[in-house]
Amino acid sequence: MRAFAAVALLLAATAASAAPARPLVGAYDAATVTSLCNDGIARARDSFARMEARQGGAGFFDEWNRLQIEIEDVVNPIYLVGSVHPDKAVRDAADPCLTKYTTLSTELFQSERLFARVKATKPANARQAKLRKDLVEGFEDSGVALPPDRRKRAKEIFDRLEELRQAFDKSVRDDPTTVVMAPAEMEGMPEAYVKAQKKDERGNYVLRLDYPAYFPFLTNARSEEARRRYWIAKQNEGGAENLKRMDEIFLLRKELASLYGLPSFAHYSLRRKMVETPETVTKFLAEVKAAVSGVEKKELEELRAEKARETGKPLAETTLRRWDVQYYQERVRSARYSVDQEGLRKYFPTGKAVAFALELSQALYGVRFAERKVPAWHEDVRYFDVTDAKTGAFLSGFYLDLFPREGKYNHAAAFPVRGVSLRARRTPLSVLVANFNRVGLDQDEMETLLHEFGHVLHGVLSRTDYVTHAGTSTPGDFVEAPSQMFEEWGRREQPLALLARVCPECPRLAPDEIARLEAARQYGQGIKYSRQWLYAAFDMSLSLDPKPSMEVWKGLEAGTPLGHVEGTMFPAAFSHIASHYAAGYYGYMWSQVLALDMLSKFSKDMLDPKVGRFYRDTILAQGGQVEPADMVGKFLGRKPSSEAFFREITGRR
Ligand SMILES: [Zn+2]
């Protein structure tokens, strides 16, 4: 998942044999979802009961691994279809299954018998020692060591949080809001965009809130009034009920922490992350704010001057509004760097841009991808086998589901449907879900493609012993690092040259055009990171001390140069913190510190297969079985540094 404003969630979740595994996610109907779920959960409960009947630590790690596999084979594909299936009945059938799974998962982690067995295990190697530590923490965090009344309350809280998360996401996903634009209000929009939009019987355009419709409009539409209406509609996505849900979610999290005698949910959550304490996050966020505030002010002044120039009004009478930012940023960018985002689509035809991402990964990581026809949930969906280039061994598979549809998950995300386990000879499977323009990608979309494919690679190239540690099962403040790092390959001349290999007929970007694109991207870092700071500060504020979310948001947003716009409720669609990114949104920036630092190893040659292979082995393959700080230290050969990050966010790269 991408950070919010930029574009788009890596979603938490995670039969095998050495032969190419059958792709798991076929065509589902609502009745199949329900019966697969009920049968699967019943089987998992039987296994759970058998594990509880045994004693001692012997064999526990493998038993645990089998149980996790049993559960994820049922739940993860259902989680996926709940987000992407074209049939609403199927999507709706998924939610009750996820509720049953949350209940089972809490019961598992609250089982005193299993906890006693975990504690009795004697790890034979570092991977088992890490698994033991993670399991002990997982059991403790679910309340197994609490007195019975508190344990019961913890379970109620977990169940209720899952219900609220589902309802929150559903309100965003199924938000029926449309914005009607008169033909004149489409002025500035590219012809292809206008053609792709639905019209009503009066000849007006009916725009939905999905990104491929929304972002280009805010970037290009000349009418300020039209941009204002669309922006306000988007800021109300999710609806007022979601604000109530968010308030309840944060109060419940605070109560959960208090069951453990911890002062806040931030303390409860962060002790399991790289940063360990709220103080580290607070200090980091203060540094970010100090670094970007001046840059933001300067950039906003430039946009205001551009608005004055375009509207022909004196500067003193010109106010820059939130719905102006993207539009004037684009004007300044295209004037200063001659970059035309819409024009870029012909350089990156969507199918070829995907082929480029695949080619790049093959060159860098020593793998081969082969497309295969397999059944899927929609005709747009493609599937690829992944093999090792040197040995030819089958490693994994992934699906690509790239285009918007009604009712489909409307951000971009990688779904780790099946986690790897070498112990179980189980190969992984991931799904990239996005909402791209069908014709071609712009700069943001290219970044999103590489970002999400970075998550997919983390899933499908991981080689962990246990499924609990597979791929992206790392602490939340590290998990974005591999995907953020991979974005860089779409910005440099050397890797972009591979585009010609997969698309000889595509026009080629000249070196100075690539340099200008990069300069244009770096323009606006102050605005971008101030917004990221705001989201992270909002999350930390609610996680440390829950108050009505709209009040907190208004207060924080009012303190920014563009202020709060009455009648808007951004938090109602902030799914990240209604789900597991809570007390973790800072993690996007924390991960980026590591991403940009790791990138330094590729500074001489972005396509060096030796560095690529070392990265695949030390980072991607290790998933969560090694502490992030140790992995990164091994890859870099030194301690991580935040220098590259601070250069990036202040546009001084
Ligand atoms: Zn992500």
Side-chain angles (χ1 to χ4, degrees):
M1 170 149 165
R2 299 286 311 277
F4 202 93
V7 183
L9 293 175
L10 175 88
L11 293 155
T14 18
S17 74
R22 291 282 145 256
L24 274 180
V25 193
Y28 279 74
D29 60 35
T32 317
V33 166
T34 305
S35 65
L36 279 174
C37 177
N38 291 344
D39 297 352
I41 293 217
R43 276 197 312 274
R45 285 195 173 278
D46 285 346
S47 308
F48 175 22
R50 281 196 301 276
M51 285 172 74
E52 277 197 314
R54 294 195 190 100
Q55 286 190 342
F60 183 82
F61 294 130
D62 284 328
E63 286 171 55
W64 177 263
N65 201 39
R66 281 195 295 273
L67 177 65
Q68 292 305 306
I69 288 170
E70 207 170 358
I71 294 174
E72 75 164 29
D73 279 349
V74 178
V75 174
N76 289 7
I78 291 177
Y79 188 43
L80 174 76
V81 297
S83 301
V84 301
H85 205 282
D87 181 353
K88 184 169 185 304
V90 177
R91 296 197 303 273
D92 289 348
D95 280 350
C97 182
L98 301 179
T99 307
K100 284 179 197 150
Y101 161 68
T102 301
T103 304
L104 168 64
S105 172
T106 308
E107 283 172 27
L108 259 179
F109 279 99
Q110 287 198 347
S111 160
E112 286 177 55
R113 285 167 174 277
L114 291 195
F115 188 46
R117 291 193 62 198
V118 173
K119 286 197 292 187
T121 53
K122 302 219 165 24
N125 56 46
R127 273 111 48 214
Q128 290 187 351
K130 178 72 167 45
L131 182 61
R132 184 181 189 279
K133 172 180 173 281
D134 292 342
L135 291 181
V136 167
E137 290 178 356
F139 276 83
E140 285 174 358
D141 290 355
S142 299
V144 72
L146 294 174
D149 56 327
R150 289 197 196 178
R151 193 191 308 168
K152 183 169 158 277
R153 182 61 189 147
K155 183 168 181 300
E156 286 166 6
I157 292 175
F158 288 123
D159 286 351
R160 179 67 185 149
L161 283 171
E162 172 61 12
E163 273 175 34
L164 288 162
R165 180 198 69 76
Q166 286 178 14
F168 192 100
D169 282 355
K170 211 173 153 76
S171 291
V172 177
R173 200 169 62 218
D174 296 339
D175 191 319
T177 304
T178 54
V179 183
V180 179
M181 297 291 175
E185 292 178 309
M186 300 295 267
E187 193 196 340
M189 298 312 296
E191 209 183 305
Y193 176 94
V194 176
K195 262 196 202 147
Q197 306 309 319
K198 278 194 189 128
K199 275 179 158 181
D200 64 13
E201 64 282 0
R202 305 170 69 181
N204 292 325
Y205 293 89
V206 181
L207 308 182
R208 298 176 51 90
L209 299 181
D210 59 272
Y211 288 105
Y214 176 76
F215 272 122
F217 195 93
L218 265 280
T219 310
N220 297 297
R222 294 223 174 88
S223 160
E224 179 176 346
E225 173 52 23
R227 289 198 310 269
R228 187 190 67 84
R229 272 196 290 127
Y230 206 168
W231 182 84
I232 287 185
K234 185 78 178 164
Q235 298 301 307
N236 284 289
E237 191 176 25
E241 280 301 306
N242 266 4
L243 297 176
K244 287 188 203 150
R245 292 183 183 115
M246 186 165 277
D247 292 350
E248 189 183 344
I249 286 171
F250 276 97
L251 284 172
L252 286 170
R253 286 173 177 155
K254 166 99 179 170
E255 189 191 343
L256 179 68
S258 73
L259 297 177
Y260 295 84
L262 292 166
S264 77
F265 179 69
H267 290 82
Y268 170 86
S269 166
L270 296 175
R271 65 202 166 121
R272 308 300 188 213
K273 303 231 166 87
M274 274 186 91
V275 296
E276 294 175 358
T277 64
E279 290 71 33
T280 310
V281 179
T282 307
K283 182 169 169 280
F284 174 64
L285 291 179
E287 285 167 10
V288 169
K289 188 167 168 57
V292 298
S293 292
V295 187
E296 181 197 22
K297 283 207 183 84
K298 179 172 161 282
E299 288 165 352
L300 291 172
E301 262 314 288
E302 287 170 350
L303 301 187
R304 194 165 76 95
E306 180 63 19
K307 185 174 180 181
R309 206 191 54 74
E310 197 190 84
T311 57
K313 278 197 187 156
L315 183 62
E317 289 168 29
T318 304
T319 313
L320 187 76
R321 307 286 187 187
R322 291 205 176 272
W323 47 87
D324 289 331
V325 173
Q326 258 175 273
Y327 178 80
Y328 288 107
Q329 237 175 327
E330 184 61 18
R331 303 286 87 68
V332 171
R333 275 191 186 129
S334 57
R336 199 176 283 181
Y337 310 106
S338 312
V339 167
D340 165 17
Q341 290 296 337
E342 282 303 315
L344 207 54
R345 300 192 193 280
K346 68 175 181 289
Y347 293 89
F348 303 145
T350 308
K352 300 299 181 185
V354 169
F356 160 73
L358 304 185
E359 182 73 16
L360 190 61
S361 313
Q362 297 182 115
L364 200 53
Y365 299 127
V367 288
R368 289 283 165 269
F369 302 137
E371 184 158 14
R372 283 176 46 208
K373 263 262 152 294
V374 299
W377 53 97
H378 188 269
E379 61 191 19
D380 281 345
V381 178
R382 301 168 71 188
Y383 169 84
F384 295 80
D385 275 343
V386 183
T387 53
D388 186 278
K390 206 182 259 173
T391 65
F394 178 84
L395 295 173
S396 49
F398 60 86
Y399 292 92
L400 305 174
D401 181 356
L402 303 178
F403 305 113
R405 298 187 283 278
E406 202 166 317
K408 178 178 155 178
Y409 176 73
N410 64 2
H411 295 275
F415 287 67
V417 171
R418 204 167 69 189
V420 69
S421 166
L422 296 182
R423 293 281 299 182
R425 302 182 71 192
R426 172 182 176 80
T427 58
L429 181 73
S430 290
V431 183
L432 194 161
V433 179
N435 289 278
F436 292 133
N437 182 301
R438 282 179 185 267
V439 178
L441 305 186
D442 64 14
Q443 196 174 9
D444 266 350
E445 287 174 309
M446 177 59 107
E447 196 168 277
T448 301
L449 169 66
L450 292 174
H451 178 98
E452 299 306 340
F453 200 65
H455 284 311
V456 167
L457 289 170
H458 200 180
V460 301
L461 297 184
S462 100
R463 304 280 292 161
T464 60
D465 280 1
Y466 297 99
V467 75
T468 299
H469 288 145
T472 48
S473 314
T474 70
D477 47 6
F478 175 73
V479 73
E480 296 295 330
S483 49
Q484 288 170 333
M485 189 180 90
F486 204 51
E487 292 173 11
E488 191 69 19
W489 274 257
R491 298 172 187 150
R492 306 253 186 122
E493 191 186 332
Q494 186 203 8
L496 279 171
L498 293 183
L499 199 51
R501 215 190 274 175
V502 296
C503 184
E505 71 279 15
C506 289
R508 277 189 78 167
L509 289 166
D512 75 296
E513 289 173 305
I514 296 171
R516 278 190 278 115
L517 271 174
E518 176 58 8
R521 184 190 69 84
Q522 286 185 31
Y523 177 73
Q525 295 293 73
I527 293 171
K528 176 179 163 184
Y529 284 95
S530 295
R531 197 74 185 162
Q532 291 301 309
W533 172 84
L534 186 66
Y535 295 150
F538 175 58
D539 170 30
M540 282 305 288
S541 173
L542 292 178
S543 298
L544 279 164
D545 181 18
K547 299 224 168 77
S549 56
M550 250 331 274
E551 234 169 74
V552 175
W553 175 253
K554 258 192 206 177
L556 282 166
E557 205 181 26
T560 65
L562 296 181
H564 171 72
V565 177
E566 278 307 321
T568 64
M569 45 174 155
F570 163 79
F574 198 7
S575 304
H576 290 74
I577 63 166
S579 63
H580 69 287
Y581 273 72
Y585 197 85
Y586 74 92
Y588 278 105
M589 291 192 282
W590 191 267
S591 291
Q592 207 179 354
V593 168
L594 301 164
L596 292 172
D597 203 16
M598 291 194 292
L599 188 63
S600 63
K601 290 283 276 188
F602 293 94
S603 61
K604 284 201 194 80
D605 178 358
M606 292 286 283
L607 294 174
D608 185 335
K610 273 202 212 99
V611 183
R613 180 69 211 215
F614 186 53
Y615 179 75
R616 179 181 152 192
D617 293 341
T618 48
I619 307 282
L620 298 179
Q622 301 303 326
Q625 71 187 5
V626 179
E627 295 290 352
D630 298 339
M631 267 191 277
V632 175
K634 186 171 177 191
F635 178 65
L636 288 171
R638 59 167 168 79
K639 280 194 149 185
S641 147
S642 59
E643 253 176 66
F645 172 76
F646 281 101
R647 279 202 304 275
E648 163 78 17
I649 69 172
T650 51
R652 288 184 287 110
R653 250 222 267 186

